[in-house]
Amino acid sequence: QKRRLHLAPPFLLDTYTPRYLLLSETDASKKRSAAYAHLAKCNLCPRKCGVNRYEKTGWCLIGEKAKVNVIAPHFGEEPCIQGHHGSGSVFFSMCNLRCVFCQNHDISHQRNGMDLTPEELGDWYIKLQDVGNVHNINLVTPEHVVPQVALSILHARSNGLRIPIIYNTSSYDSLESLELLDGLIDIYLPDFKVWSPSTSKRLLKADDYAATARESIKAMHAQVGDLCFTGDGIAKSGVLVRHLIMPGLEDESKEIMQWLAKEVSRDLFVNLMEQYRPAAHVGKVNTRKHGVNVEGDKKEERRYAEINRAVTNEEVETVRKAAEKAGLWRFCDPPRHDGFNI
């Protein structure tokens, strides 16, 4: 007999049909037309470059085809996402942010990988499903290739795709982008990185990040609601918000937790992530600025020194308590037993 997972009824699904399978052919055709139009005059992220992606690239440096770095079953996600068979992850190259601490710098800041048409991309979803036996298709850093993603999902649904689609995003999305994705995405997996414009300008190179993330996460939640599971413990629909706790930024984390509980939902599923490490540009020697120590020797200055360390247990505990105080209660915690975390 199959072991079942007990969940509160509001978040427990008997069965689940992916949203893209419920789209009418008329709505699917409208989305195809909208995707082609957006590529011709790109406005599907807050950068709003307005370029014709068939002819040149904008801020993201990606044109008509999506550039994909890795496609494979992935076991580094939340237990309810990866399950026993893995999440069918598609890591897109490049990004519409320039986070100086990017934990996936080799993928998101470098144009590595293979160029795929939407049809080729959709065929990979089928392979992940049929050969990899994955629980879902997980689109990682897709904000700058939303038209290609929409077209790939519509292609794959016509060729036998039947598992949920996850949109794994930084939350630097436009409302036009999320409107195009409505009806195609089952699970939104947004980050909420920082709160203040000054911090986002310095660390993300986008001073409107927090305002955009707030707008985007509310729109995502309006589409799919709180995270729901089937009895096997695998998430099928809803929003799961990730927050990477960063050194010295506990006050911003508190603001984020309070906003999520007050403006989105107290039943929001939240993953407070502790694995921050100095990466990308953090901790590199600043070649433009050098000080002099007391002996008169040249002193090396490190870039972004304020975040050039791991987070402490005290910082993690402070953010967790702030989240609980705000009213949040659904967290991605390790299991309280010796079994598999699912």
Side-chain angles (χ1 to χ4, degrees):
Q1 186 177 356
K2 213 172 195 180
R3 183 168 174 258
R4 311 300 286 179
L5 181 72
H6 174 73
L7 293 165
F11 313 115
L12 180 61
L13 305 170
D14 290 331
T15 59
Y16 184 73
T17 301
R19 299 179 77 213
Y20 58 85
L21 292 178
L22 303 177
L23 272 182
S24 69
E25 285 301 325
T26 300
D27 288 337
S29 180
K30 288 179 179 178
K31 287 191 179 295
R32 286 190 188 92
S33 298
Y36 290 129
H38 283 303
L39 278 175
K41 189 176 182 181
C42 189
N43 65 344
L44 284 187
C45 94
R47 302 289 183 186
K48 296 196 181 296
C49 300
V51 301
N52 183 342
R53 300 268 293 266
Y54 294 106
E55 298 176 352
K56 60 180 181 177
T57 64
W59 176 275
C60 64
L61 302 180
I62 299 296
E64 175 186 357
K65 294 182 179 180
K67 186 174 282 292
V68 181
N69 191 286
V70 176
I71 302 176
H74 185 49
F75 292 87
E77 305 289 16
E78 289 79 0
C80 62
I81 299 295
Q82 71 180 32
H84 291 284
H85 303 297
S87 178
S89 295
V90 180
F91 287 85
F92 293 100
S93 294
M94 302 308 293
C95 182
N96 62 353
L97 287 176
R98 293 291 184 268
C99 301
V100 300
F101 55 88
C102 182
Q103 310 290 282
N104 286 334
H105 181 264
D106 57 330
I107 296 175
S108 297
H109 287 204
Q110 299 174 17
R111 295 186 78 254
N112 297 323
M114 51 187 172
D115 294 317
L116 297 178
T117 65
E119 293 73 26
E120 291 169 334
L121 190 55
D123 290 340
W124 272 105
Y125 302 164
I126 303 294
K127 292 177 186 177
L128 285 168
Q129 172 187 268
D130 295 346
V131 180
N133 195 29
V134 295
H135 296 287
N136 44 62
I137 301 300
N138 186 355
L139 308 170
V140 185
T141 319
E143 304 88 342
H144 56 299
V145 288
V146 168
Q148 296 93 325
V149 160
L151 292 169
S152 68
I153 295 171
L154 293 171
H155 172 78
R157 86 164 192 155
S158 300
N159 289 275
L161 190 67
R162 60 184 183 276
I163 55 178
I165 303 286
I166 298 177
Y167 187 77
N168 190 337
T169 172
S170 68
S171 297
Y172 199 52
D173 297 284
S174 70
L175 292 182
E176 293 87 352
S177 178
L178 296 175
E179 181 181 356
L180 179 60
L181 292 170
D182 192 8
L184 299 175
I185 302 300
D186 300 285
I187 297 174
Y188 283 102
L189 200 58
D191 289 339
F192 200 148
K193 300 175 184 290
V194 296
W195 182 260
S196 74
S198 59
T199 302
S200 57
K201 182 177 182 179
R202 173 168 168 75
L203 300 183
L204 279 61
K205 309 309 176 187
D207 55 5
D208 61 340
Y209 170 78
T212 300
R214 290 193 293 269
E215 191 176 60
S216 297
I217 292 173
K218 289 187 79 168
M220 294 173 194
H221 190 267
Q223 287 185 21
V224 297
D226 294 311
L227 196 67
C228 294
F229 309 77
T230 44
D232 56 3
I234 304 298
K236 299 295 184 181
S237 71
V239 176
L240 192 165
V241 175
R242 289 170 166 173
H243 174 63
L244 182 64
I245 301 171
M246 294 182 60
L249 297 179
E250 307 101 295
D251 289 342
E252 299 206 16
S253 296
K254 291 178 184 178
E255 293 280 2
I256 291 171
M257 295 303 116
Q258 291 169 7
W259 180 85
L260 289 173
K262 183 179 179 180
E263 299 296 333
V264 184
S265 171
R266 289 192 175 187
D267 295 329
L268 202 61
F269 202 100
V270 178
N271 185 4
L272 298 176
M273 304 167 75
E274 337 176 350
Q275 63 262 43
Y276 171 82
R277 69 188 191 284
H281 303 290
V282 176
K284 288 185 176 180
V285 175
N286 191 338
T287 57
R288 296 181 181 179
K289 294 182 180 179
H290 291 284
V292 178
N293 61 25
V294 291
E295 286 80 20
D297 297 327
K298 190 174 288 187
K299 182 176 64 176
E300 291 183 340
E301 181 178 326
R302 299 288 172 173
R303 301 181 68 188
Y304 307 102
E306 71 274 19
I307 57 171
N308 189 25
R309 63 173 175 84
V311 294
T312 65
N313 291 334
E314 290 74 18
E315 289 169 329
V316 172
E317 186 65 23
T318 296
V319 176
R320 175 59 180 256
K321 287 181 177 178
E324 293 175 346
K325 184 177 180 181
L328 298 170
W329 63 281
R330 301 180 74 199
F331 299 101
C332 185
D333 288 334
R336 298 178 183 178
H337 55 75
D338 294 328
F340 190 76
N341 184 9
I342 191 170

